[in-house]
């Protein structure tokens, strides 16, 4: 049998000796605060804009490491450095986080995108665990309330859709709320989270779930039905698989092994469907009817898709003991480490073409920051260290 | 010497025997009006949305063929069929054209994008030449006025940029206005066009022109200076080259051979810069400082880029007799016909990966319609038929 556990140390070492040092060394803007994320292969800054998703995610990452791995002062300092910038410059007068700022903190792109709020709330939630300053809890709490308030119209006045013709809702928000509600439980309280969970769980596992194929759609009509349009036909395998490990975390929280099993089955089906049989790796976008996608980047192989898949396979294995997880883990692990890891310099590549060659040799940019690589390495490391909840033998003997 | 002229018939035949029949046969929505543009390799409809850019462009194309090639009733019928749909459903209450409609004509995406207006104005302008119905002239005229009114704030309330931090302007609008003003001269009158030309010419040839490299930028600050940001560093070689043949048309209108020569020099420099030395073809996007682009599709080879380049090389040759044009024409011609033309079915592929393999095997979609392939074929055909204005020998003997 393939020994999943034997990989734990490899993930741990890569996280602590390679990836985190890259961000510690290169991303801190000591002049204006916050983090540079547009870093080339060697760690040089090639653009100075500050993207709120990535500012928030990096604060979360260093807070989380401080909370869960080791009380290292330099990790906490990084988290505080980013949080300070976010607190000072991140929000408009309504408390919504901008999408981006310039290097000095002046707003560039308006809060048209609700995920800035999501990642900022995560950031202040995790930081509050490290430093129990009530201001951090307050920002997390208010931002969460803001997300809930905006959730049915997340783009607000920035939406270009004409009202009424084709009202769609998008998978990303309920998916992230699954994760965010657990991330903020220490602030929101268990009662609030208990009330909140059934709704988002229903959205992810029933509403966006496409019965006919057993896959998860990116966009559906408000009533949950299928829209035969570019948006409605869209599949994002990485997104669906990432969501399934959020659901497995919820299953643990709810003590519901059947839910974990169901999530694992969807993830495996999605992976099977999204795997590129010709060149290896997982496609970025697909059309559920096999039509051409709008996204020209559909066939590219992205770092986060592969890291989230490794996390999901590890968690699914730990929770179900399903041997398919171990088999797939080996395949995805090999593809990921062979293609995304930069063998010469720290951190990993983010964007490969279909054949697995590097498409952009950056280590960070507008969307790639200190998040999916280190979070993925951390999650796999910690998951593989746990005992397998139910090995196949155990399940058979029950 | 390479015989440019010998290619004229090849372009003519491809236009009339292959490409136009494809659209005549497959794109007409006889039920709800307008055109289907999402057509797969074989001409089957894979999506029914109606994109205003492409509706307008197709009306323009069939009107133009009727005006300039032959008074074929089926061409005029196609133009009228599309114009009728546009007139009925295309505009909001302010007279701005939507970005897209559903199959039946209900608005889907708001007029956030001013190019819908540009292509609709072109459409009604060309149709008015074919059928002198004053309503068509009126729509073209009003829409042009609307574009001029909106030109300094083309996205209006749909802009996500925070006002004041980084005010940029984009190359596409002045570039298209160079072409549109000539397209509408019969409606606007020569005086209006004469007044209009110097401004747009200055924008294209001075403001967006980057002295240091001799290339054309996609975005500059309002005062014309360089912005060291993702947007400011962006190059779109196909865009710049297309604009240079618009400028050559203006040079003809203005009887200004020096302007044509200048445009040709910029086009050749851009082509040299944008050509993929490894795999052939012209890159879609580049960063002027060599930094990674935001656009994941940067290395792809797009049909319109190559067709516009062939037009520009042919026009530049016809206007200057520069032998570099003939050399480049041969190279780009071979790449284009070998990779974009579908050898088995009508019409051409639109999207290739860096290596020149087909990335999406559609013949039309959200952005590709009955426009760049047929217009390019038409323009090359007609240009190569003209006598060369100044052959090298003639120029030397002057």
């Amino acid at each position: 049998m393939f020994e999943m556990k034997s990989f734990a140390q490899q993930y741990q070492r890569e996280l602590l000796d390679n990836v985190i040092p890259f961000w510690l060394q290169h991303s801190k803007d000591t002049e204006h605060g916050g983090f540079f994320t547009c870093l080339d292969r060697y760690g040089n800054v090639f653009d100075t804009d500050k993207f709120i998703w990535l500012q928030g995610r990096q604060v979360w990452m260093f807070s989380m490491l401080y909370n869960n791995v080791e009380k290292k002062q330099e990790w906490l300092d990084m988290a505080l450095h980013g949080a300070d910038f976010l607190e000072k410059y991140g929000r408009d007068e309504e408390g919504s986080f901008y999408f981006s700022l310039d290097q000095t903190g002046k707003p560039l792109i308006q809060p048209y995108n609700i995920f800035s709020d999501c990642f900022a709330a995560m950031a202040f939630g995790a930081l509050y665990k490290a430093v129990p300053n009530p201001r951090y809890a307050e920002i997390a709490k208010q931002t969460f309330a803001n997300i809930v308030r905006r959730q049915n119209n997340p783009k607000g006045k920035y939406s270009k859709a004409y009202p009424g013709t084709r009202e769609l809702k998008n998978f990303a928000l309920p998916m992230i709320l699954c994760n965010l509600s657990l991330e903020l439980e220490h602030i929101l309280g268990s009662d609030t989270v208990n009330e909140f969970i059934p709704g988002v769980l229903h959205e992810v596992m029933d509403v966006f779930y496409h019965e006919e194929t057993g896959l998860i759609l990116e966009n559906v009509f408000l009533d949950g039905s299928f829209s035969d349009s570019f948006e409605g036909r869209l599949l994002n395998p990485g997104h669906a698989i990432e969501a399934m490990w959020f659901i497995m975390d919820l299953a643990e929280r709810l003590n519901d092994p059947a839910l974990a099993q169901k999530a694992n089955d969807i993830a495996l089906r999605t992976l099977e469907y999204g795997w590129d049989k010709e060149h290896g790796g997982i496609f970025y976008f697909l059309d559920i009817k096999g039509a051409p996608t709008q996204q020209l980047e559909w066939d590219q192989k992205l770092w986060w898709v592969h890291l989230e898949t490794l996390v999901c396979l590890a968690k699914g294995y730990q929770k179900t003991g399903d041997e398919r997880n171990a088999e797939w883990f080996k395949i995805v692990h090999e593809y990921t480490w062979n293609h995304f890891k930069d063998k010469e310099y720290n951190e990993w590549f983010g964007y490969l073409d279909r054949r697995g060659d590097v498409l952009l040799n950056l280590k960070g940019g507008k969307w790639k920051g200190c998040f999916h690589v280190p979070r993925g390495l951390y999650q796999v490391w910690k998951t593989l260290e746990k005992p397998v909840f139910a090995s196949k033998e155990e399940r058979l003997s029950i």
Side-chain angles (χ1 to χ4, degrees), chain A:
Chain A
M1 202 198 85
F2 177 66
E3 257 305 328
M4 294 278 283
K5 223 177 188 122
S6 65
F7 286 87
Q9 210 195 359
Q10 181 180 347
Y11 282 80
Q12 178 188 8
R13 295 265 58 88
E14 186 72 5
L15 173 70
L16 301 177
D17 299 344
N18 175 342
V19 173
I20 291 302
F22 177 90
W23 297 98
L24 281 168
Q25 193 181 342
H26 300 295
S27 72
K28 196 169 179 175
D29 182 354
T30 51
E31 194 183 347
H32 294 283
F35 305 119
F36 298 119
T37 62
C38 295
L39 300 169
D40 72 10
R41 185 177 181 191
Y42 318 104
N44 303 312
V45 177
F46 68 86
D47 194 275
T48 57
D49 283 354
K50 310 269 170 76
F51 303 98
I52 301 293
W53 285 32
L54 302 189
Q55 303 293 314
R57 284 168 156 185
Q58 186 158 345
V59 171
W60 176 86
M61 190 68 220
F62 278 99
S63 303
M64 191 280 284
L65 289 175
Y66 181 86
N67 294 334
N68 298 348
V69 178
E70 196 186 333
K71 297 277 172 285
K72 275 199 180 189
Q73 191 60 40
E74 63 171 348
W75 292 352
L76 183 59
D77 288 346
M78 278 296 265
L80 288 165
H81 176 81
D84 183 48
F85 188 79
L86 274 178
E87 197 181 345
K88 257 195 212 145
Y89 304 116
R91 287 163 295 176
D92 71 6
E93 61 284 355
E94 286 173 18
S96 296
F97 280 87
Y98 293 109
F99 179 75
S100 62
L101 313 174
D102 75 0
Q103 185 182 357
T104 66
K106 286 199 204 96
L108 274 172
I109 302 291
Q110 302 274 18
Y112 77 96
N113 182 305
I114 201 171
F115 302 106
S116 294
D117 282 6
C118 292
F119 300 120
M122 259 175 87
F124 285 98
L127 183 60
Y128 179 67
K129 274 190 197 162
V131 181
N133 181 333
R135 247 173 43 236
Y136 300 148
E138 197 49 37
I139 295 175
K141 209 169 175 173
Q142 281 179 359
T143 306
F144 186 80
N146 203 26
I147 296 164
V148 171
R149 178 180 64 78
R150 289 172 69 192
Q151 68 176 324
N152 293 322
N153 184 19
K155 291 196 178 176
K157 65 176 177 171
Y158 302 105
S159 172
K160 296 181 293 192
Y162 187 90
T165 307
R166 184 184 292 155
E167 306 266 13
L168 299 177
K169 55 182 177 178
N170 182 270
F171 179 63
L173 190 55
M175 161 196 163
I176 285 192
L177 290 175
C178 287
N179 181 246
L180 188 59
S181 57
L182 292 190
E183 283 285 336
L184 299 183
E185 186 155 4
H186 61 294
I187 289 170
L188 303 174
S190 292
D191 288 351
T192 305
V193 172
N194 283 338
E195 275 170 42
F196 195 75
I197 286 176
V200 289
L201 202 54
H202 169 66
E203 288 291 306
V204 169
M205 299 303 277
D206 302 321
V207 176
F208 286 91
Y209 181 75
H210 186 245
E211 202 69 48
E212 208 179 314
T213 56
L215 299 169
I216 285 184
L217 298 165
E218 277 293 298
N219 300 285
V220 295
F221 279 120
L222 292 188
D223 69 358
S225 61
F226 176 72
S227 164
D228 191 357
S229 60
F230 280 107
E231 294 77 14
R233 294 189 302 269
L234 190 66
L235 297 172
N236 182 330
H239 234 180
I241 293 169
E242 182 179 4
M244 290 307 104
W245 79 251
F246 293 170
I247 296 293
M248 290 182 206
D249 280 0
L250 273 183
E252 190 168 302
R253 160 76 167 66
L254 298 168
N255 197 15
D256 184 346
L259 178 61
Q261 183 67 60
K262 193 176 165 195
N264 195 48
D265 287 343
I266 294 175
L268 289 168
R269 198 179 300 123
T270 306
L271 177 54
E272 178 74 40
Y273 189 91
W275 186 256
D276 181 353
K277 276 86 185 170
E278 202 175 331
H279 297 283
I282 301 159
F283 287 118
Y284 189 9
F285 292 109
L286 292 166
D287 181 292
I288 201 164
K289 295 176 83 174
T293 60
Q294 275 186 62
Q295 289 78 6
L296 299 185
E297 64 273 28
W298 72 273
D299 71 344
Q300 295 175 10
K301 310 295 161 64
L302 269 67
W303 84 106
W304 67 265
V305 172
H306 294 76
L307 280 147
E308 297 307 326
T309 299
L310 288 167
V311 173
C312 190
L313 289 168
K315 290 208 185 230
Y317 185 72
Q318 192 270 326
K319 292 198 181 344
T320 70
D322 195 322
E323 280 306 317
R324 294 176 300 168
N325 286 56
E327 284 157 30
W328 266 116
F329 185 89
K330 194 177 168 187
I331 294 166
V332 180
H333 169 89
E334 270 174 24
Y335 182 90
T336 303
W337 285 76
N338 281 334
H339 292 86
F340 287 103
K341 176 176 165 57
D342 184 350
K343 272 120 197 152
E344 291 182 61
Y345 296 92
N346 277 10
E347 248 284 350
W348 291 23
F349 297 116
Y351 302 90
L352 311 178
D353 67 16
R354 180 166 178 184
R355 288 170 174 80
D357 292 335
V358 174
L359 178 77
L360 293 172
N361 75 346
L362 53 75
K363 296 297 170 57
K366 182 176 176 181
W367 305 103
K368 182 176 190 288
C370 179
F371 189 62
H372 286 287
V373 175
R375 184 179 75 170
L377 294 170
Y378 170 82
Q379 284 283 354
V380 174
W381 159 33
K382 288 294 183 183
T383 303
L384 294 185
E385 277 188 353
K386 289 186 199 171
V388 174
F389 177 73
S391 74
K392 206 171 176 179
E393 293 68 31
E394 280 175 300
R395 278 186 297 152
L396 288 173
S397 69
I398 290 166

